[in-house]
Amino acid sequence: MSRTVEVLSVFGTRPEAIKMAPLVAELQRRPLFRSRVCVTAQHRELLDMVNRHFAISPDFDLDVMRAGQTLCGLASRVLAGMEQVFAQAAPALVLVHGDTATTAVCALAAFYAGIPVGHVEAGLRTFDRRSPFPEEGNRLVAGHLADIHFAPTARNAQYLKQENIKKNVYITGNTVIDALAYTVRPDYAFAQPALQDLATRFAHTVVVTAHRRENHGAPLEQICGALRTLAGRYPDTCFVYPVHPNPAVRQTAERLLSGLPNLLLLPPLDTADMHNLMARCRFVMTDSGGLQEEAPALGKPVLVLRRETERPEAIEAGTALLCGTRQEAVVAAAVRLLEDEAAYQAMAQAINPYGDGRASPRIADAIEHFFGLRELPPPPFLGCAEGGGD
Ligand code: UDP
């Protein structure tokens, strides 16, 4: 007798949506699943941009975002909202992604409702609960409540094992690499007008993003100071900074960086614009997690504007450099990439420590395996950590 597994994918922010979109598409393609999507809309505008791009129409929308929202307010709206959604949708499995409030609280709501939870992008750790805050705490909560764990790398699976999470751990790669296959095109035409003639006006483009909570205030001011110095010193290089709408970020960036001819402060970019810009840039300067994964896959060096990272694989592979947020350190690292061709080439290696672009089919295979609908998948399944599938 044929059986359909009801899977509810829940996400609330831009990076979650980008990384869940290829998996949602994969689940929809498979007849064994009935795939539905719930958004919490923890971020409204940025999330909707991604959903439009990937043609995802959510089946449930909690619309929890409020002006000046606090973590507790957000968490309580997600918890109450998910209870209603579970009552209506009755999923056999809830999928959450990564490390946001949506991730942790939705995992908790599913646990309370007795519904198994699958955690996509499991096992990332800095081992410092305060940094990044609240992400490290959120992924700990989700990881310890989840029933199936989709670890992007062997290291992530190892970290779970150290926390005694050994059952149903699948090493899959990161779905963000799958997403690049949907967006990056050699003949791509940019939607954002300011990006359309960059290649003719400048010798190089450097992509910048900085918005993480731990960089608000003095660290972001240092980063902006570095960008000002670099833009002044290299007029043939365009620094493109799509600015996060968070007022704490936007006000600082506008105050310190407005009025420079080769420093573009732009509104958030559509995902395809962002990925294609990265594919054509010289290098990336960022505090974002997603960009640390995407840039190495595109062969672009990354200067990580943070003190620590839960993504050490690219640093060990030599394609990313943890340079902190001090102005002089950021300037020095960027100058090296702009002036020292050998140093640049050493970092500009197209490597994929985060996967081969087939994480979504592996996750779908693993879910089928979890529900007893298939044998452990053959290669190129990356692996099943010890005890996986028990
Ligand atoms: N991104 C985007 N438009 C932008 C900036 C980022 O589409 O203007 C994408 C980026 O390519 C990556 C994701 O958003 O896939 C990263 O999101 P964010 O930096 O907000 O979160 P993090 O990765 O730090 O969790």
Side-chain angles (χ1 to χ4, degrees), residues 164-217:
N164 216 22
I165 299 172
K166 297 176 182 165
K167 232 177 128 179
N168 301 324
V169 176
Y170 299 89
I171 302 163
T172 59
N174 195 311
T175 54
V176 77
I177 310 300
D178 307 21
L180 292 173
Y182 285 80
T183 51
V184 177
R185 297 271 172 271
D187 56 348
Y188 183 76
F190 287 98
Q192 163 59 250
L195 301 178
Q196 286 164 1
D197 60 351
L198 274 188
T200 53
R201 290 175 52 218
F202 295 98
H204 301 299
T205 302
V206 174
V207 179
V208 182
T209 77
H211 70 269
R212 303 283 288 213
R213 192 184 292 248
E214 58 272 25
N215 279 343
H216 291 182

Side-chain angles (χ1 to χ4, degrees), residues 14-15 18 209 211-212 242 268-271 274-275 278 288-291 294:
R14 171 174 66 188
I18 292 172
T209 77
H211 70 269
R212 303 283 288 213
L269 297 177
D270 164 68
T271 315
M274 186 65 184
H275 287 178
M278 287 169 70
S288 151
L291 268 77
E294 291 161 348

Side-chain angles (χ1 to χ4, degrees), residues 198 201-202 206 208 223-232 234-235 237-243 253-254 256-266:
L198 274 188
R201 290 175 52 218
F202 295 98
V206 174
V208 182
I223 292 168
C224 289
L227 292 171
R228 234 191 134 77
T229 304
L230 290 164
Y234 299 98
T237 297
C238 189
F239 295 82
V240 183
Y241 182 177
V243 183
E254 283 173 358
L256 297 175
L257 295 174
S258 294
L260 297 168
N262 60 333
L263 200 152
L264 290 184
L265 290 182
L266 298 178

